[in-house]
């Protein structure tokens, strides 16, 4: 199994797309080979800013802790996602512009924590053809909704409610909701994202199939109904985010027990979240869910 990198520099870095591709070997994807960390670090670019947010040690310590906490765990992999996403977000304290740079996530996956990517995303079921199971390449180098660490950071960014990360935990607890919602432009509207979470909390949505059906219905409805008009969000003030980023210099490591706190932004209006949650519940009632008809027929019989 892929081991923890032996040579870790003091700071995170950027790894260009073409450089990243050369280190994603079949041996790495199957967990049989390690990344040559010395050679990889010679191929990186320095980050344009030099501040405490980009120290590698706090991020690597967090990865070590999630690997220890969920070692040989019988809980679903989403439990590790739900634990790590808010803590990764609160540790890095990125702007959205910084988080949109795929080179940072490629370095984190290949240079800082390839062992975690393999542990988290290597399929546990053998392939039907008898070949070796392997991690999908997009977990190391891919879009924000599939890359191993980018998907967690963006989930925390889009589903948090101001400083409150508890909706992130709920969203990450349903893998299909996480995978589907991150591809949808509508989740950039906070009341929409939080209304999706609200239906999981109400147990209207329980399964992956139901989450996919809900997301499809919500996305289709957005073509005719402007959610940001019928359910307005609070005006976003950039100052709390700037303050939160500036405070990284003296911040302690995030708690491994209690949820951290994000920037002290105003929360989304509860009335807007409630209106959309009720509307989405109605959409879901009419949405086609594979297998639901069979369950309903059995219940009726």
């Amino acid at each position: 199994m892929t081991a923890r990198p032996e040579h870790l520099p003091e700071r995170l870095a950027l790894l260009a797309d073409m450089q990243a591709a050369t280190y994603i070997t079949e041996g790495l994807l199957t967990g049989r080979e390690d990344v040559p960390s010395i050679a990889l670090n010679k191929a990186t670019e320095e980050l344009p800013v030099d501040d405490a947010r980009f120290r590698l040690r706090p991020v690597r310590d967090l990865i070590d802790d999630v690997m220890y906490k969920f070692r040989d765990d019988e809980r679903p992999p989403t439990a590790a996602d739900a634990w790590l996403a808010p803590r990764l977000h609160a540790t890095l304290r990125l702007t959205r512009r910084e988080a949109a740079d795929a080179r940072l996530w490629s370095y984190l996956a290949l240079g800082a924590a390839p062992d975690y990517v393999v542990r988290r995303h290597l399929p546990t079921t053998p392939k039907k053809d008898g070949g070796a199971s392997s991690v999908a390449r997009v977990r190391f180098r891919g879009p924000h909704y599939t890359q191993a660490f980018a998907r967690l950071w963006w989930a925390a960014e889009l589903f948090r409610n101001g400083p409150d990360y508890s909706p992130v935990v709920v969203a990450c607890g349903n893998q299909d909701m996480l995978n589907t919602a991150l591809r949808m432009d509508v989740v950039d509207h906070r009341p929409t994202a939080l209304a999706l979470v609200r239906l999981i909390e109400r147990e209207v949505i329980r399964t992956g199939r139901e989450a996919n059906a809900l997301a499809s219905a919500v996305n289709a409805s957005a073509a005719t109904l402007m959610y940001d008009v019928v359910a307005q969000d609070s005006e976003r003030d950039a100052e709390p985010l700037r303050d939160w980023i500036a405070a990284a210099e003296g911040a302690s490591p995030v708690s491994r027990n209690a949820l951290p706190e994000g920037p002290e932004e105003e929360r989304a209006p509860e009335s807007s979240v409630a209106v959309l949650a009720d509307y989405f519940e109605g959409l879901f009632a009419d949405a086609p869910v594979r297998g639901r008809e069979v369950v309903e027929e059995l219940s009726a019989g």
Side-chain angles (χ1 to χ4, degrees):
M1 182 63 72
T2 303
R4 183 181 188 274
E6 294 183 2
H7 303 280
L8 290 173
E10 293 185 3
R11 299 179 54 73
L12 294 169
L14 303 175
L15 186 63
D17 195 55
M18 290 185 63
Q19 295 289 348
T22 65
Y23 293 99
I24 305 176
T25 64
E26 288 301 319
L28 172 65
L29 296 175
T30 55
R32 294 181 288 105
E33 296 178 359
D34 296 328
V35 176
S37 56
I38 294 178
L40 181 142
N41 279 295
K42 290 180 179 178
T44 61
E45 305 169 44
E46 291 186 0
L47 284 154
V49 293
D50 182 12
D51 59 41
R53 295 177 297 148
F54 299 112
R55 290 176 302 197
L56 193 151
R57 178 58 56 190
V59 179
R60 182 62 227 196
D61 287 347
L62 189 63
I63 301 302
D64 287 339
D65 287 344
V66 71
M67 293 183 72
Y68 180 80
K69 185 176 180 68
F70 294 92
R71 68 194 185 284
D72 302 325
D73 204 307
E74 295 181 356
R75 289 175 289 181
T78 49
D81 290 347
W83 187 90
L84 182 56
R87 291 170 175 84
L88 180 67
H89 187 275
T91 296
L92 287 175
R93 302 197 184 198
L94 303 173
T95 65
R96 289 192 177 190
R97 180 186 294 274
E98 290 168 334
D101 191 339
R103 296 175 299 169
L104 174 64
W105 302 116
S106 292
Y107 179 76
L108 187 52
L110 286 162
D115 52 334
Y116 180 74
V117 179
V118 172
R119 165 84 73 86
R120 169 62 183 84
H121 292 288
L122 185 67
T124 56
T125 55
K127 296 176 68 175
K128 292 181 180 179
D129 63 5
S133 297
S134 62
V135 179
R137 291 177 182 272
V138 291
R139 299 303 186 184
F140 286 99
R141 165 180 164 260
H144 74 279
Y145 49 81
T146 56
Q147 204 273 352
F149 294 111
R151 65 193 282 272
L152 298 181
W153 190 93
W154 281 103
E157 174 66 11
L158 294 171
F159 285 102
R160 68 181 174 87
N161 192 5
D164 181 12
Y165 285 115
S166 59
V168 178
V169 176
V170 177
C172 290
N174 186 307
Q175 195 68 56
D176 289 272
M177 175 62 76
L178 179 61
N179 291 341
T180 303
L182 288 182
R183 300 170 187 258
M184 298 162 49
D185 291 339
V186 292
V187 297
D188 195 41
H189 178 238
R190 287 194 304 170
T192 295
L194 295 171
L196 293 173
V197 170
R198 186 68 53 86
L199 293 195
I200 299 175
E201 292 174 328
R202 291 179 182 177
E203 297 189 347
V204 172
I205 302 301
R206 295 184 177 89
T207 68
R209 289 179 180 178
E210 291 173 345
N212 285 328
L214 172 64
S216 296
V218 168
N219 214 29
S221 177
T224 56
L225 180 65
M226 299 181 68
Y227 298 146
D228 57 345
V229 173
V230 299
Q232 294 186 355
D233 195 0
S234 305
E235 186 173 347
R236 304 294 289 271
D237 181 1
E239 192 64 29
L241 178 62
R242 286 195 292 266
D243 291 344
W244 188 64
I245 289 174
E249 187 67 40
S252 301
V254 296
S255 172
R256 275 34 175 184
N257 298 313
L259 279 177
E261 291 188 356
E264 287 294 333
E265 297 171 337
E266 187 174 352
R267 297 172 189 245
E270 172 57 29
S271 58
S272 294
V273 177
V275 164
L276 287 183
D278 290 342
Y279 176 68
F280 292 165
E281 187 167 351
L283 287 179
F284 176 69
D286 297 326
V289 180
R290 187 159 56 93
R292 179 158 65 177
E293 297 84 355
V294 175
V295 173
E296 290 174 347
E297 288 176 6
L298 290 174
S299 299

